[in-house]
Amino acid sequence: MIRLLLAFALAIASFGRVQLATARITQRNILAKKYSQTAFNEALIPLDKWAPYPKTPEEWRSKADPDELTKIIKAGEEALEKPIPMVSASLLLDFTRSGDRERHATASFGRRNQLMNLVLAEAVEGKDRFMEAILNSVWAICEETYWGVPAHLSVQKAKNGLPDVQDPTVDLFGAETAGVLALTDYFLGTKLDKISPLVRPRIYFETNKKIFEPLKEAKRYGWLSTTNPVNNWNPWIVSNLLIADLLLEKDAQKRSENAYQYMVFLDRYFNSLGDDGGCDEGPSYWFAAGASAYDALAILESATNGKVNVYDHDLIRKMAAYVYKVHITNDYFVNFADADPKLKPDGLMLYRFGKAVQDPTLSAFGEWAYGQFGAVTGGNGYQRPRKVWNLITTSELKQDQSKTYKPVAQSWLSDIEVLTARSDNGLYLATHAGHNAESHNHNDVGDFIVYADGEPVIVDAGRGNYTARTFSSKRYELWFTQSQYHNLPIINGLGQPAGKQFNARNVKSNVSEKEVSLAMDIAPAYPQEAGIQNWNRLVKLNRSKNAVEISDDFVLKQKPDSLQQVFMTVCKVDISTPGKIVFTTSGKKAVSLTYDPKSWTVSTELPSTEGMEYSSFKTKWDGEPVTRIVLTSKALKSKGKHSFVITKS
């Protein structure tokens, strides 16, 4: 489990290197325009009167599912048996020495997971048997020089290596740590005082020194930019800043001023979204982005007795709806860019978010996800304020199984240019246009994926493991980021480069009862050396024919030296019949792709799974290997048309 958590957490690092620096910013400033500092001050509940979570075992038993509380205590008992992981200077240096990020993260995240499991168990049970272990964990974390991960140290003046104690900086996991300690103080502060009156002041001192004070230099942090787009870092961090400030800061004026400033920081994320509310990082990142924005809004709503509330804003509603618009089936989601193809959605949070924005489809999606995958609660992982609220939601949701989730038939997200559609016979299509400087970008303008009866057929292979190379100038040396390993043409041996100028033009979506399609010219996504005048691609779900159709109409500047088309799959592949590729899914379903055998030869290969960056491909698709199918043109012409048709056999 810890390795799975690390895989998600480590994917978030150094976003500035793959985040577009010149994308559109819309200065909506939703929160700052609606609420002044004075109005916020008046609305904010005083520290001694704000009780967002249960504080006694009796309260917990009255508000949470007993089965979940039993799990919480069991997790605490398991944590009680473990030693506190060592976080050494050598582990901190792993990143610069080898590029490895997991060894340090395993120890550092392990400390926080253990502490939160212990804290929740003690809060729920109330018998003091976890307190000594909690004391030692709190003290150990407070004594750390740096609460983040080494990959994020480039913000400090000394750059990567060891953290400089004289130059504290704030990253995702420093903010997460502040949230953990704030929740510890909230639930068990009185008990800690009985052990020693110096523990809680130490928690505040370290949080103030490592988090609150360094944030006063906001211009240091890309995730706080007012001119460039920001991604999941912003709402993820802000949600933890809010809970830390509102639970730890005893100075009423400072508490209110900090919370207001953090609220204004959240506007910078909303300003970075297009009007469609879409998340160009993909759905797995949405749970750290749009969902974290909801976490922050829920904290603000609770701390002001509902007076700070922007759930009726159209952008917030669209941001919320994005996640079910890119749901394929079961635990499969559309996974363009660095998003993961499979994730178990947090149904409790989705249910609450749906209620907040009055979106019955989102609430129903949450109920469905809770029924399918269970509760996302406890001390492991991230977004811990969310998971505590989830605990309280368990009893409510068990009594409210009133909604039926029906997946959307199609969606068009116009700003991130992502189209999804499904047919009555079980075919699912997702495709996109866009540009090659999106957050967590892959060079993949014009890519598409196809599922049949809920199983992957034509896929975006996804991301590999995250190392020092992933967010460096060498990012696009990794095969999984290259267009040559997406469902795209290779023209004169060239794929797509990175950069916003490499984009699609003349993008047009069409949605009707009979067909859903996306037309685009992907010529600008390729370099000049590829020699393309135009490459008009039409990706269509033809509901009348129960088929996915890919049509390319191109004009090159001269006869090409080579022309290829790639398809990526995790199915077993049979290419023995000219003009037909047969895919067999893990569930033994057959899907056919037809092509003109007079125009193409076909070959297959297995991309590498060796090396730090690629080992996750051994397990990512339920152990099925990723296969690259390459069609090579026999008839090289300067202009032409070709098509591919995908149907269930």
Side-chain angles (χ1 to χ4, degrees), residues 83 165 212 233 258 553 580 620:
V165 70
F212 299 149
W233 275 53
N258 280 352
D553 183 349
K580 188 176 184 179
K620 181 181 294 292

Side-chain angles (χ1 to χ4, degrees), residues 419-437:
L419 179 141
T420 70
R422 66 182 80 235
S423 69
D424 290 337
N425 79 325
L427 283 177
Y428 182 93
L429 169 70
T431 184
H432 69 103
H435 56 76
N436 283 333

Side-chain angles (χ1 to χ4, degrees), residues 362-373:
L362 183 57
S363 290
F365 183 43
E367 287 190 5
W368 171 85
Y370 176 57
Q372 288 286 112
F373 307 113

Side-chain angles (χ1 to χ4, degrees), residues 5 73 110 154 157 199 215 249 262 293 313 346 398 401 414 437 486 494 526 560 598 603 637:
L5 295 171
I73 293 172
S154 59
K157 298 180 181 70
V199 179
L215 281 172
E249 184 54 66
Y262 302 155
H313 195 285
D346 181 347
K398 279 201 167 184
Q401 296 291 318
S414 57
H486 288 76
L494 297 172
Y526 288 80
K598 297 177 182 178
S603 63
K637 299 178 181 179

Side-chain angles (χ1 to χ4, degrees), residues 403-417:
K403 303 176 183 67
T404 301
Y405 169 57
K406 183 179 180 181
V408 296
Q410 65 267 326
S411 68
W412 167 238
L413 298 159
S414 57
D415 287 282
I416 61 174
E417 297 184 341

Side-chain angles (χ1 to χ4, degrees), residues 2 40 118 159 200 203 214 224 398 452 491 497 521 527 577 615 623:
I2 187 71
F40 186 84
L118 293 164
K159 300 301 179 184
R200 296 176 78 188
I203 288 174
L224 287 177
K398 279 201 167 184
I491 304 157
D521 182 358
T577 303
S615 61

Side-chain angles (χ1 to χ4, degrees), residues 303-564:
T304 60
N305 200 24
K307 293 178 181 177
V308 172
N309 184 325
V310 292
Y311 296 132
D312 60 348
H313 195 285
D314 191 50
L315 181 76
I316 306 302
R317 294 174 59 85
K318 288 180 177 178
M319 179 189 74
Y322 162 84
V323 71
Y324 61 75
K325 292 178 180 177
V326 289
H327 177 233
I328 301 172
T329 189
N330 297 324
D331 54 353
Y332 282 114
F333 286 77
V334 175
N335 68 309
F336 298 133
D338 271 350
D340 286 318
K342 298 189 78 171
L343 64 97
K344 290 180 170 50
D346 181 347
L348 292 164
M349 179 276 298
L350 294 170
Y351 170 79
R352 288 188 291 111
F353 200 177
K355 286 185 63 178
V357 297
Q358 298 182 20
D359 183 339
T361 302
L362 183 57
S363 290
F365 183 43
E367 287 190 5
W368 171 85
Y370 176 57
Q372 288 286 112
F373 307 113
V376 180
T377 61
N380 289 331
Y382 315 100
Q383 289 91 31
R384 293 174 178 92
R386 177 192 305 174
K387 292 178 179 178
V388 178
W389 257 306
N390 281 354
L391 264 178
I392 306 168
T393 311
T394 52
S395 58
E396 175 187 346
L397 195 50
K398 279 201 167 184
Q399 299 167 14
D400 185 16
Q401 296 291 318
S402 58
K403 303 176 183 67
T404 301
Y405 169 57
K406 183 179 180 181
V408 296
Q410 65 267 326
S411 68
W412 167 238
L413 298 159
S414 57
D415 287 282
I416 61 174
E417 297 184 341
V418 170
L419 179 141
T420 70
R422 66 182 80 235
S423 69
D424 290 337
N425 79 325
L427 283 177
Y428 182 93
L429 169 70
T431 184
H432 69 103
H435 56 76
N436 283 333
E438 295 166 336
S439 182
H440 292 275
N441 178 68
H442 290 193
N443 294 333
D444 60 356
V445 173
D447 191 22
F448 66 94
I449 62 174
V450 177
Y451 281 60
D453 295 329
E455 293 189 276
V457 180
I458 306 294
V459 303
D460 183 314
R463 62 175 179 83
N465 301 74
Y466 284 82
T467 68
R469 193 154 64 129
T470 315
F471 295 98
S472 73
S473 60
K474 298 180 179 180
R475 175 178 177 83
Y476 296 102
E477 295 176 8
L478 302 168
W479 67 254
F480 57 82
T481 64
Q482 299 170 11
S483 70
Q484 296 93 319
Y485 289 81
H486 288 76
N487 305 301
L488 291 163
I490 303 172
I491 304 157
N492 282 314
L494 297 172
Q496 301 177 9
K500 193 186 181 187
Q501 69 272 32
F502 300 106
N503 61 5
R505 66 189 172 201
N506 302 328
V507 178
K508 295 179 181 178
S509 65
N510 177 49
V511 177
S512 70
E513 187 176 327
K514 292 185 178 181
E515 68 175 49
V516 180
S517 65
L518 186 64
M520 57 195 135
D521 182 358
I522 62 174
Y526 288 80
Q528 289 291 324
E529 306 91 277
I532 313 171
Q533 287 189 15
N534 55 64
W535 193 288
N536 293 309
R537 166 160 281 200
L538 178 66
V539 183
K540 179 193 300 184
L541 177 65
N542 189 326
R543 287 177 170 143
S544 299
K545 296 180 179 179
N546 288 320
V548 171
E549 301 169 355
I550 313 299
S551 304
D552 288 338
D553 183 349
F554 64 89
V555 178
L556 306 180
K557 295 177 182 177
Q558 60 187 35
K559 179 182 174 180
D561 295 327
S562 65
L563 181 62
Q564 296 172 307

